[in-house]
Structure formats: structure tokens, C-alpha cells
Amino acid sequence: MKWIKPERDYGDVCPTYIKNFSVDLSCEAVLTITAFGCYEAMLNGRRVGEYVLAPGWTEKRLQVQEYDVAHLLNRGKNTIEITVGRGWYRSPLAGWRGEERDPRFDMPPGVCARLKIGDEIIETDASWQVAESAVRFSEIYDGETYDARVGECEPERVDEFDSDIKLVSQQGEEILEMERIAPVAIFTTPKNERVIDFGQNITGYVEIFLPDSTY
């Protein structure tokens, strides 16, 4: 598998890597993937696997995941999209890495993947494309900025690059969504800050539904 990155620096914006391909026959299909940061893979608009924040917290090595994706394939045209955020790997990790800025914080949001469909193999290489996503900032400790006003961006070229990082098979437990919790109260503080109280200490993210009307 080859590593790919955006041809230009996207700054804090999370890139989405894109590959279009065709499938003639129904057959077994396995996606093998990892990234410098947390990734989310979509195949034909549907999420690949249930692992949240994959590939997890790894520093001197990267865990590689495998997913059975045969049920997500279409006969004919298909599209795989992989969005990459900073995750743990490219985060500052204050208190863990000392006072000096860790060079990995400035590393590109690279991704390395292989899709095996029967006897056919589709790997990350220069034939893939990349585009800016609506995720304008994503960091494991500082949250995420998502701008729904960002439309479909023009795909751009990718660069291949080499890395000597050690790749290992998945070893730890996967991070999964366990349950959905409704807030117990919503109130405004004296500083005019809106607070949503879930009634307990949790690790997760907020799910928001917006009305169809103009806002």
C-alpha cells in the first residue's frame, strides 16, 4: 500500500480522499486501511464499519484495520471516500510530549488503503483525488468545526510519499458507539452561554437535527 497526501497544504481543513471505480460482479471485498490521524471511510455514501476514531491512539506504530465491505458495493459505479482528522497521532498531546512542538503535529494527513474485490486490487496511489471537506477543524482534544455551508469542492491531485512508520494489525479494542443519551436540561448562563446538560459525565459527541426551513 502507498501513502498519499494532498498536493497542497490544507491547514486545519480535513481532506477527503476520493476514488471512483466500477464493479461488474458480486464478490468478496475487503478494505484494509490506516491513516496519520483518525479516519472515517464511506463507500457509496454509507459508513464503513462501526469503529469510531480509528485507528485509535498509536504513536510509534499504526494499527491497520480490515473491513468486509461486500455489502456496500454497487454493481457498476462505486465511490470510496476517506476523511482524515488529526486524531491522537497529529495532536499536541500537551503534557505527554514535552514543551517542544512535536514534528508529527505538522505531518500531512496521509492515508494508506487497499480495497481487494475478488482478484482485483485498488490501492491508494496517484490516481486518487482529494478535496476539502465541510470539516474545517478536527482535533481530538479541542473538538470539531463543521460548516454545512461548504458545498462539494473541486477534487485535486494527490502526492504519493514514503513513510517508515511500523504498521501492525489491529490489537486493541475498537471504540464503538454504545448508546444515545438525551439531554436532561438546556439553559442559558448569566454570560448568555447556551448549556446542554446530559446529566452525567460522558465521552461522545453531539447529534443535532436542523429543520428544513431557512436559518
Side-chain angles (χ1 to χ4, degrees), residues 5-205:
K5 63 180 181 179
E7 191 176 47
R8 63 178 177 87
D9 184 6
Y10 276 22
D12 288 329
V13 176
C14 294
T16 296
Y17 297 94
I18 307 162
K19 178 67 175 180
N20 298 310
F21 60 95
S22 296
V23 175
D24 295 329
L25 301 174
S26 298
C27 54
E28 295 181 354
V30 175
L31 175 65
T32 304
I33 180 174
T34 192
F36 286 133
C38 290
Y39 69 82
E40 182 179 77
M42 307 286 287
L43 185 52
N44 297 319
R46 291 179 289 176
R47 182 172 164 177
V48 173
E50 298 180 350
Y51 193 160
V52 181
L53 302 178
W57 186 356
T58 48
E59 291 193 67
K60 297 181 179 180
R61 56 183 185 170
L62 284 180
Q63 296 187 111
V64 177
Q65 291 73 48
E66 286 192 353
Y67 303 95
D68 180 353
V69 295
H71 63 290
L72 300 178
L73 288 175
N74 296 328
R75 180 169 295 184
K77 295 182 179 179
N78 293 264
T79 301
I80 184 171
E81 299 173 299
I82 305 170
T83 303
V84 181
R86 286 194 175 275
W88 287 276
Y89 195 89
R90 295 186 297 114
S91 292
L93 281 177
W96 287 85
R97 294 178 177 166
E99 297 181 359
E100 294 184 1
R101 184 181 179 92
D102 192 286
R104 277 177 291 193
F105 188 77
D106 299 314
M107 287 185 64
V111 66
C112 184
R114 175 189 293 124
L115 177 58
K116 188 176 186 300
I117 307 172
D119 295 328
E120 181 182 2
I121 294 179
I122 300 171
E123 292 187 322
T124 44
D125 59 20
S127 68
W128 286 55
Q129 294 180 303
V130 64
E132 292 189 9
S133 72
V135 183
R136 313 312 286 176
F137 174 84
S138 182
E139 208 276 329
I140 199 71
Y141 298 105
D142 295 332
E144 184 170 288
T145 301
Y146 184 94
D147 190 346
R149 298 169 299 178
V150 176
E152 186 174 334
C153 296
E154 187 69 23
E156 302 177 64
R157 293 169 53 90
V158 299
D159 282 340
E160 297 178 9
F161 70 101
D162 296 323
S163 173
D164 59 359
I165 188 71
K166 183 178 181 180
L167 300 181
V168 298
S169 300
Q170 177 68 36
Q171 297 177 343
E173 294 294 327
E174 294 184 356
I175 303 170
L176 304 175
E177 296 175 348
M178 301 305 296
E179 60 180 314
R180 282 179 165 83
I181 301 174
V184 297
I186 301 177
F187 57 92
T188 302
T189 69
K191 294 183 179 180
N192 201 34
E193 298 172 329
R194 181 64 60 88
V195 175
I196 302 175
D197 182 6
F198 287 92
Q200 67 181 76
N201 186 22
I202 61 173
T203 297
Y205 40 83

